[in-house]
Amino acid sequence: LTHKTVSDEFICIGYLAGDVDFNSPDGESVHTLIIAVSSSSRNHLETLSKIAKFCADGEFISLLKNRSDLGTLISYMEKKEKN
């Protein structure tokens, strides 16, 4: 197993081919996966916090459920972070 140092931070958003039941507490199926990669634990926790805030936003969840393109997601996120 090779280990590399991460110099950049990024998230990946992947739309699943079909909803998956992960036995979540709310009973909702999963339609989107979000993966965060960070260079430090502190940055990773900050990124997870931002992701959690977006995932609590009904409009953002609608964008994900409708499989919005990357440009639309980025524009929405940038707009929300300015407010």
Side-chain angles (χ1 to χ4, degrees):
L1 187 63
T2 303
H3 180 270
K4 293 192 176 198
T5 302
V6 176
S7 59
D8 291 328
E9 298 171 323
F10 58 91
I11 63 169
C12 297
I13 298 176
Y15 298 123
L16 302 176
D19 290 358
V20 177
D21 181 5
F22 280 114
N23 283 333
S24 64
D26 63 5
E28 294 285 327
S29 295
V30 175
H31 52 81
T32 306
L33 294 179
I34 301 174
I35 300 168
V37 176
S38 300
S39 58
S40 72
S41 296
R42 179 185 171 110
N43 290 347
H44 192 71
L45 291 174
E46 288 175 5
T47 300
L48 290 176
S49 175
K50 287 181 181 181
I51 291 169
K53 287 177 184 173
F54 280 112
C55 288
D57 177 343
E59 191 173 348
F60 183 73
I61 295 301
S62 291
L63 290 173
L64 294 177
K65 284 184 177 179
N66 291 319
R67 298 175 173 257
S68 295
D69 62 55
L70 181 61
T72 302
L73 292 174
I74 290 173
S75 292
Y76 182 81
M77 293 167 79
E78 287 175 343
K79 180 181 82 173
K80 286 300 236 183
E81 284 195 324
K82 287 180 184 178
N83 295 335

